[in-house]
Amino acid sequence: MNVETYPDPAALGAAAAAAAAESLRGLIQAQGSARMVLAAAPSQLHTLAALSVAEGIDWSRVEAFHMDEYVGLPPETEQRFGGWLRRHFTDKVRLHVIDPDGGADPAPEAARYAELVTAAPIDMVLAGIGVNGHLAFNEPPADFTTSDVVQVVALDDTSRMQQVDEGLFPELDSVPTHAWTLTVPFLLSAREIFCMVSGAAKREAVRRTLAGPVDPAVPATALHTHPRTRLFVDQEASR
């Protein structure tokens, strides 16, 4: 895994966006289109902002998917990840979202989204790492061998508290307890992965990801098995 360190989140985001933009331009030139999976989180803001204004990308040729979504949030809730990406990323991209409005049973929506996201290969994943080392909402211990594309998972309290600490929810009780997530094996099926991590709260997760063996207890260690992963960290996350 190639690791690049930058002084602050803005510099990290600019570098990651430049790398992703270069790849997207090449993909569109070579194959006429590109498909990407996006994380929706504050740690991705600088990257998404810079990527959305990068020159030379024909966004009409790009399909985008988000990697996870809360179960049980009403349609108008601003914390829904699909809406978050529509607010913080370019509106020129064809964004496919997990729809929490399909009824009380989340399984049919998992199947629908799995069919949609597997219609063609994924070229690029823009990811982050959670404070507990999760990748998307694959909580520890993550399933590294599943053949599922989308799973409905229970969120552990560390992940739920991260949402409060990042200002996305007012208190723990307001954070949903379950979510849809793209699985680790599916994310690793992408052609290349760009992972952006910033802030002191992520320092231990970054340390465990880089230092430890591939271990379901630290889901992000699965990135070591991917031949084209670039990890972008800022100094606060890497100390």
Side-chain angles (χ1 to χ4, degrees):
M1 181 160 46
N2 184 48
V3 183
E4 304 176 30
T5 303
Y6 294 89
D8 53 54
L12 179 161
E22 181 180 11
S23 181
L24 280 173
R25 288 189 291 264
L27 286 164
I28 294 169
Q29 182 177 12
Q31 61 191 33
S33 63
R35 302 177 95 231
M36 64 192 307
V37 170
L38 305 171
S43 62
Q44 308 300 302
L45 277 172
H46 289 286
T47 301
L48 294 177
L51 181 58
S52 69
V53 296
E55 295 183 356
I57 299 174
D58 183 352
W59 289 108
S60 69
R61 296 180 177 272
V62 179
E63 284 187 277
F65 303 83
H66 59 130
M67 59 178 56
D68 43 25
E69 183 60 273
Y70 296 114
V71 172
L73 287 184
E76 67 278 4
T77 308
E78 65 178 13
Q79 290 95 339
R80 278 173 46 166
F81 293 141
W84 189 95
L85 281 171
R86 288 192 173 106
R87 293 193 302 273
H88 294 289
F89 195 47
T90 175
D91 59 4
K92 299 175 184 177
V93 73
R94 289 178 289 167
L95 177 64
H96 302 282
V97 301
I98 301 171
D99 181 7
D101 307 324
D105 181 2
E109 179 57 15
R112 184 198 71 86
Y113 197 67
E115 183 176 1
L116 191 65
V117 78
T118 56
I122 296 297
D123 297 299
M124 177 185 301
V125 170
L126 302 187
I129 297 174
V131 295
N132 65 351
H134 71 208
L135 193 62
F137 267 142
N138 295 285
E139 305 283 41
D143 189 342
F144 283 0
T145 61
T146 181
S147 61
D148 292 341
V149 173
V150 181
Q151 290 183 339
V152 179
V153 298
L155 303 180
D156 70 28
D157 284 347
T158 302
S159 283
R160 295 175 67 226
M161 195 65 212
Q162 178 182 335
Q163 312 309 308
V164 178
D165 292 340
E166 292 179 348
L168 302 175
F169 289 87
E171 72 282 321
L172 185 63
D173 287 345
S174 65
V175 183
T177 59
H178 290 75
W180 292 274
T181 186
L182 295 176
T183 62
V184 170
F186 180 74
L187 292 172
L188 295 179
S189 74
R191 178 177 178 270
E192 57 187 335
I193 299 173
F194 299 87
C195 186
M196 287 67 69
V197 189
S198 60
K202 304 288 184 71
R203 189 178 301 155
E204 180 62 12
V206 169
R207 186 196 68 77
R208 294 178 71 198
T209 297
L210 294 178
V214 176
D215 184 352
V218 186
T221 58
L223 295 173
H224 286 293
T225 69
H226 193 280
R228 300 188 66 183
T229 294
R230 294 176 68 175
L231 176 61
F232 298 80
V233 297
D234 71 352
Q235 289 183 349
E236 284 295 315
S238 64
R239 290 175 180 171

